Amino acid sequence: MNVIRAIQLYIEKMITDAGPGMKMLMMDRETISVVSMAFAQSEMLQKEVFLFERIDTTRSNERLKYLKCIVFIRPTRDNVLRLQRELRSPKFGSYFINFSNIIPRTDIKSLAESDESESVREVKEIYADYLPVNPNLFSLHIPSCLHALNWNPDALDRATQGLVSVLLSFKFRPAIRFRAGSTAAQTLAKKVHETINKETALFSFRPPEDGAAPPLLLILDRRDDPITPLLNQWTYQAMVHELLTITKQRVDLSGVSGVPKDLKEVVLSTEQDEFYAKNLYANFGEIATTIKVLMDEFQRKANDQRKIESIADMKNFVETYPQFRKMSGTVTKHLVLISELSVQVGRQQLFEVSELEQEIACRADHSTQLQRVKRLVADGKTTTAWNALRLVLLYAMRYERHANCDTSGLLKLLQDRGGKAHIVPRMLEYISPVARQELFNTVKITDAVKLTRNLIKELKGVENVYAQHECVLKGTLEEVIKGRPLDAQYPIMGNELPFRRPPAEVIVFMIGGTTYEESLAVHRYNQEGHRIVLGGTTIHNSESFIEEVLAATTGVPFKHSRSLQQFHQPVAGTA
């Protein structure tokens, strides 16, 4: 079960079926992201795809009859209308049309009627209607899916289509379970179940042999675990997303001081970057150490005896050796990333903030934690307004019903320093009733005294920090793979009889967005031999999650790029 490989196979077949010769690829706003996340442009050129166009933007009217046109678009009504216009006045010699999901027969008929010149050679459905992020992780890139804590109708349709596409790409007719008490999860489960029953011919896969359990589609709700997206992360991919933001495998570094022109935007792809693929789940200190080992090796070759002790020394070394930079562009890219991460960790005092976050999430100690939160929230010189807000959110959820809860006092401190105090009651509205009863009883408790700080001795200034917190998904998967009864917490959709054996394959889908911490939990289970894929309406860091919460509770789209950016820096002159 590899979502990237599944997408690659579809795209390779799409190109191969068009035959030899020069080809162009016509896509839409969403399918262009699917292709770019599966293949580099150089790889497409090797497959004789020399031109790329968007069907949904202004295009040239130049006729290129010597080119074959491979069309890869979503089966939306707008795209069908655009394609009809194209076929009435074709620019290319022949068309090979591929829809990324199920398309109604009525739309096929209308396309046939528009193809008066008989330019279309074939029309196919290929089930590549989702973004492949990691081998075990996919996203539908729906930034916010709820309105007044119920499904936005367009988002519900898109989520249904995306999940159906994932199931068809793996040839699964699954048992569908959903989180009890979540109306959103039950609604999506019902929509997917109805689509499977309607498209019986597409889902007529061979059933499991010897009474084995069918694949499982498990639909969960972000509202049951609002803690995980709020915590600082310390594994590489998750940390880059939290502090720099990964958008469709790209990281914008244009605002980072001193970054070379060719690194203003960098691509982080497990398919195109071997270093990234190997170190995806490594912690902060391990990444720095790995880069240092590579640089030590080059130093020996260059007969340079200078001592490298810190990230700053490594950066200076690279700038001194253009040859090294040319040979090791990938390492240079990651050195720039980890240098900026190190700057952010120091500037935002993230070691102290993260330690307190972990304690609040995993251990009940109201009096001590309240005093520490008050001190950090009031300290505008070292604690950013954003980190202060996250600490208050965690405290408010943990101690909402505590007799001495002082959320109101913390809100006043936030307001005094211009923080977004209005977000806190929205978060308390967002958290589900199930989470209120179970969340802080299910996380594992670790005494703060036993927290370990493993210093990377060879590299000054980098620490391997704590990860006490375990996401709720980890415990859920434990129940699934051990074959424990799930009917009470995760009812089965339809009339299927529940299987008591654990499923061999599991697809987990998180309504309201998943996280890279949860992807790490899935990765660790897969290392043990399980076959699990995780997906979500989007992939969150703390900012995008709070945007999701505000959109879900107020119904008003909320963009941190305009409203929250300033809250990520300490007070002027204190960085």
Side-chain angles (χ1 to χ4, degrees):
M1 290 175 66
N2 183 322
V3 294
I4 296 178
R5 188 57 187 146
I7 295 287
Q8 287 175 334
L9 288 172
Y10 275 127
I11 295 172
E12 287 170 352
K13 180 171 175 52
M14 183 172 70
I15 296 170
T16 301
D17 287 353
M22 296 176 68
K23 295 176 276 287
M24 71 85 59
L25 186 56
M26 184 185 294
M27 299 164 285
D28 63 29
R29 180 174 56 87
E30 294 185 64
T31 56
I32 196 170
S33 297
V34 175
V35 173
S36 67
M37 291 175 72
F39 289 105
Q41 186 170 347
S42 59
E43 294 175 303
M44 299 300 287
L45 293 173
Q46 292 171 6
K47 300 177 188 298
E48 298 184 296
V49 179
F50 296 104
L51 188 63
F52 305 86
E53 283 192 2
R54 287 265 301 271
I55 195 172
D56 50 359
T57 58
T58 303
R59 298 159 49 223
S60 167
N61 291 321
E62 183 182 1
R63 295 188 179 274
L64 304 169
K65 294 294 185 180
Y66 59 90
L67 282 178
K68 298 176 179 180
C69 178
I70 301 172
V71 179
F72 175 44
I73 56 177
R74 296 200 65 244
T76 65
R77 186 61 192 150
D78 286 344
N79 278 345
V80 170
L81 292 173
R82 294 181 184 113
L83 191 51
Q84 283 182 267
R85 288 194 292 270
E86 174 76 23
L87 295 178
R88 290 191 189 104
S89 179
K91 286 170 49 181
F92 304 99
S94 56
Y95 290 80
F96 298 81
I97 300 173
N98 302 267
F99 289 102
S100 67
N101 213 318
I102 301 169
I103 182 165
R105 292 186 180 183
T106 52
D107 287 342
I108 298 291
K109 182 180 178 182
S110 64
L111 288 173
E113 291 170 350
S114 302
D115 184 27
E116 296 176 356
S117 63
E118 298 185 352
S119 310
V120 176
R121 297 293 178 265
E122 63 181 13
V123 178
K124 293 187 302 184
E125 294 173 353
I126 66 170
Y127 306 109
D129 204 13
Y130 54 92
L131 298 180
V133 181
N134 294 345
N136 69 347
L137 179 65
F138 69 91
S139 168
L140 300 183
H141 197 62
I142 305 172
S144 59
C145 61
L146 301 183
H147 176 85
L149 299 179
N150 291 308
W151 272 106
N152 174 304
D154 291 341
L156 176 58
D157 288 343
R158 181 67 187 95
T160 304
Q161 294 158 4
L163 270 181
V164 167
S165 172
V166 172
L167 296 174
L168 287 170
S169 66
F170 285 115
K171 295 181 169 57
F172 287 171
R173 184 181 178 119
I176 303 174
R177 290 187 180 274
F178 59 92
R179 183 59 159 121
S182 169
T183 303
Q186 183 174 3
T187 301
L188 179 58
K190 183 178 179 182
K191 292 273 287 184
V192 173
H193 187 259
E194 288 173 349
T195 304
I196 291 173
N197 289 337
K198 179 183 175 183
E199 303 290 346
T200 52
L202 289 176
F203 283 91
S204 58
F205 307 123
R206 181 185 301 176
E209 298 177 356
D210 302 325
L216 173 65
L217 171 60
L218 183 62
I219 299 178
L220 305 178
D221 192 331
R222 179 80 274 157
R223 294 178 62 205
D224 289 338
D225 180 9
I227 300 298
T228 297
L230 289 174
L231 299 176
N232 269 295
Q233 301 300 314
W234 296 95
T235 53
Y236 191 36
Q237 183 182 44
M239 196 174 181
V240 171
H241 190 43
E242 176 59 32
L243 297 179
L244 300 174
T245 306
I246 305 172
T247 304
K248 297 180 180 179
Q249 293 184 335
R250 283 167 167 74
V251 181
D252 181 2
L253 297 176
S254 59
V256 176
S257 175
V259 171
K261 288 184 178 179
D262 59 335
L263 292 175
K264 293 295 184 182
E265 181 182 79
V266 299
V267 176
L268 294 179
S269 166
T270 58
E271 296 299 299
Q272 301 163 23
D273 185 336
E274 184 179 356
F275 182 91
Y276 183 61
K278 287 182 177 179
N279 293 282
L280 202 62
Y281 302 113
N283 67 42
F284 188 37
E286 290 170 343
I287 289 288
T289 303
T290 302
I291 294 176
K292 181 177 181 296
V293 168
L294 293 175
M295 297 190 67
D296 284 345
E297 184 178 350
F298 182 83
Q299 250 189 315
R300 285 194 296 272
K301 293 178 181 178
N303 277 327
D304 192 312
Q305 303 301 316
R306 284 180 302 169
K307 194 173 182 181
I308 293 179
E309 295 185 316
S310 69
I311 290 173
D313 291 342
M314 288 192 289
K315 194 173 181 181
N316 291 335
F317 176 74
V318 170
E319 290 169 353
T320 307
Y321 283 87
Q323 181 186 4
F324 179 89
R325 191 167 174 179
K326 183 178 179 181
M327 293 171 56
S328 307
T330 299
V331 176
T332 306
K333 172 177 70 177
H334 291 289
L335 180 56
V336 168
L337 285 170
I338 201 169
S339 296
E340 180 58 20
L341 294 180
S342 181
V343 168
Q344 294 297 330
V345 167
R347 180 181 295 158
Q348 298 187 43
Q349 301 291 311
L350 290 185
F351 290 132
E352 183 175 10
V353 170
S354 180
E355 180 181 355
L356 182 51
E357 287 175 357
Q358 293 285 323
E359 284 193 37
I360 295 171
C362 301
R363 177 173 178 259
D365 185 358
H366 177 264
S367 178
T368 302
Q369 290 171 7
L370 175 59
Q371 294 310 309
R372 292 183 65 188
V373 172
K374 280 184 175 179
R375 178 176 61 81
L376 288 177
V377 170
D379 185 1
K381 291 186 177 181
T382 56
T383 309
T384 66
W386 182 257
N387 288 328
L389 171 63
R390 290 191 299 108
L391 287 171
V392 175
L393 287 169
L394 291 167
Y395 170 88
M397 285 189 283
R398 157 67 83 173
Y399 295 111
E400 181 184 9
R401 299 181 180 180
H402 192 280
N404 297 318
C405 176
D406 193 20
T407 298
S408 59
L410 293 174
L411 291 178
K412 187 176 186 310
L413 287 176
L414 272 181
Q415 289 170 333
D416 289 345
R417 59 178 298 183
K420 297 286 184 178
H422 70 282
I423 294 173
V424 178
R426 292 299 183 186
M427 183 66 73
L428 294 177
E429 181 183 349
Y430 179 84
I431 186 172
S432 73
V434 171
R436 278 191 166 88
Q437 294 174 10
E438 299 179 4
L439 185 59
F440 292 105
N441 294 325
T442 57
V443 292
K444 293 193 174 180
I445 296 174
T446 305
D447 194 293
V449 178
K450 297 179 182 177
L451 292 173
T452 303
R453 289 190 179 186
N454 292 323
L455 298 180
I456 305 298
K457 300 294 184 182
E458 300 83 5
L459 198 64
K460 295 176 182 177
V462 178
E463 290 181 303
N464 183 14
V465 288
Y466 357 96
Q468 300 175 78
H469 176 261
E470 291 184 352
C471 56
V472 173
L473 177 62
K474 184 177 184 296
T476 302
L477 290 175
E478 185 88 5
E479 300 287 305
V480 170
I481 64 180
K482 290 189 175 179
R484 291 172 181 158
L486 300 173
D487 297 342
Q489 288 184 305
Y490 307 97
I492 196 164
M493 176 57 64
N495 298 320
E496 290 89 348
L497 293 173
F499 282 80
R500 297 310 174 195
R501 296 184 185 180
E505 300 96 4
V506 180
I507 295 175
V508 180
F509 186 77
M510 187 74 75
I511 298 167
T514 189
T515 65
Y516 286 119
E517 180 181 339
E518 288 157 331
S519 173
L520 172 61
V522 168
H523 168 72
R524 286 173 174 164
Y525 278 122
N526 287 342
Q527 283 186 311
E528 297 173 3
H530 302 289
R531 302 181 67 199
I532 306 170
V533 163
L534 172 66
T537 46
T538 189
I539 300 174
H540 282 311
N541 57 18
S542 61
E543 288 186 357
S544 65
F545 174 58
I546 288 178
E547 291 172 16
E548 177 100 35
V549 169
L550 291 173
T553 53
T554 66
V556 178
F558 184 90
K559 293 297 178 187
H560 75 269
S561 56
R562 293 192 300 271
S563 304
L564 291 179
Q565 196 169 31
Q566 68 271 31
F567 297 104
H568 284 267
Q569 304 297 330
V571 194
T574 62

